[in-house]
Amino acid sequence: MRLQVRRRLTPTVLTAAAVAGVVTFSLVASAPAGNAAARPSSAYAVSAEGQVPIAKTPYAESLDGKRQTSTALELPKNPLISVRAGTATAGNDSASVELFDIVIGPDLLSQVKLPPELQQQCASLPKTGAADLPLPDLALPDLGLPLPKLTTKDLPVKNLPDLCNLLLNPPKSLLGIDSLNVWCSGNQGGVDIGSLTLLGQTIKLPSTKQGATLPAAPLATITVNSQGKHSDGAFTITGLTINLGGAETINLASATCAKPATKTKPKPKPQPVNPAPAQVATPPSAPVPTPVKTHQPVTG
């Protein structure tokens, strides 16, 4: 399935990687990241570093364990990538990301004009036996990028009819993804990827679990379901990481689960001390009188 054109791609390293047609799919675990400082749970939909930097968008972070959600209907203007919608959510030791209609490298092959000799060969293809015709080795236009010069033999085609079709009917994007969902809870998580197309061709992933791979290639690598544990106990899972020859790295749908910082309990207020009741002095008891015997005179 082809996604709709978003905008015209200006020359970037992405264009050369697409023209080279060399992409790797792999599912690997990343090395633990060394960070002793405690971090909160967080999530973001898209980020990119390199010739076309893109900040984490949208981004959500939970500092106190309460559920936080951030949504973006479009990315900052750039020639590299577009999405229809992205939502990032982070909470108490949990995080998730939802992405829809992702387009990377729109209209990239439309910039390549067929050399006159190739145009002639494509126009005169025989009705039968064309698949057996050899591929011509013709230089492609210089894209002004720090990459080797490319020829028609670098394109991902098997024969001359495929080459003619690719250049005469260029795909709408380098990479198109219907949907990408990522989640984590505690120290585990998962990835769900919808229909994926590469240069107009549907790519079927063998699995989204760690360990499965597709054939390797030198200029661009797509990593699926990259997972890593941090030294502070946090866990991060990233749906797709696209490395374009080391010059551009795109991360799609990344979630980090970490228990929120422990809340400091307020110190109990000191309780007032009741003074001891005053001692009341008891007056001394009067002595018991002692009777005195006397003789009274008798009269009469």
Side-chain angles (χ1 to χ4, degrees):
M1 182 184 68
R2 294 184 178 179
L3 305 179
Q4 295 298 319
V5 176
R6 302 292 177 182
R7 59 182 65 88
R8 189 176 185 84
L9 180 68
T10 57
T12 65
V13 69
L14 178 67
T15 308
V19 172
V22 280
V23 179
T24 305
F25 286 85
S26 61
L27 292 85
V28 297
S30 60
N35 187 351
R39 74 196 71 212
S41 293
S42 63
Y44 65 86
V46 177
S47 75
E49 298 178 354
Q51 294 185 4
V52 184
I54 300 175
K56 297 176 180 178
T57 307
Y59 177 77
E61 183 178 80
S62 175
L63 297 173
D64 56 5
K66 294 182 180 179
R67 182 184 176 91
Q68 303 292 335
T69 298
S70 178
T71 300
L73 297 180
E74 61 181 13
L75 299 177
K77 187 177 181 180
N78 72 91
L80 182 64
I81 181 173
S82 67
V83 299
R84 178 166 59 87
T87 301
T89 302
N92 185 10
D93 200 16
S94 65
S96 63
V97 180
E98 292 183 335
L99 265 172
F100 299 97
D101 196 7
I102 307 137
V103 177
I104 297 177
D107 279 343
L108 51 97
L109 283 185
S110 63
Q111 303 175 69
V112 179
K113 295 183 179 179
L114 273 68
E117 56 268 42
L118 182 57
Q119 289 183 6
Q120 184 177 359
Q121 292 185 53
C122 291
S124 59
L125 285 177
K127 294 183 179 180
T128 60
D132 298 328
L133 295 176
L135 284 171
D137 192 6
L138 303 175
L140 293 175
D142 184 6
L143 300 176
L145 299 172
L147 292 172
K149 292 183 178 179
L150 304 173
T151 72
T152 50
K153 286 193 173 181
D154 293 314
L155 294 174
V157 293
K158 297 179 180 179
N159 50 49
L160 182 57
D162 286 348
L163 176 63
C164 294
N165 182 62
L166 181 63
L167 295 179
L168 291 173
N169 303 286
K172 299 300 182 182
S173 66
L174 164 67
L175 186 66
I177 308 165
D178 282 350
S179 63
L180 176 60
N181 299 326
V182 169
W183 63 271
C184 70
S185 178
N187 61 356
Q188 61 180 355
V191 175
D192 181 24
I193 302 176
S195 176
L196 187 152
T197 58
L198 176 64
L199 288 176
Q201 301 297 316
T202 301
I203 301 298
K204 185 177 181 180
L205 294 175
S207 173
T208 55
K209 296 180 179 179
Q210 291 177 291
T213 60
L214 289 178
L219 292 183
T221 302
I222 297 180
T223 305
V224 183
N225 192 3
S226 176
Q227 300 183 12
K229 293 183 179 180
H230 303 270
S231 58
D232 62 358
F235 171 80
T236 296
I237 178 170
T238 302
L240 291 174
T241 298
I242 305 168
N243 189 325
L244 301 175
E248 185 81 25
T249 300
I250 305 168
N251 289 315
L252 299 177
S254 183
T256 295
C257 283
K259 294 181 179 179
T262 304
K263 295 181 180 180
T264 304
K265 295 182 179 180
K267 295 182 179 180
K269 295 181 179 180
Q271 299 295 325
V273 179
N274 295 326
Q279 299 293 329
V280 180
T282 303
S285 302
V288 178
T290 302
V292 179
K293 295 182 180 181
T294 57
H295 293 281
Q296 298 292 332
V298 177
T299 60

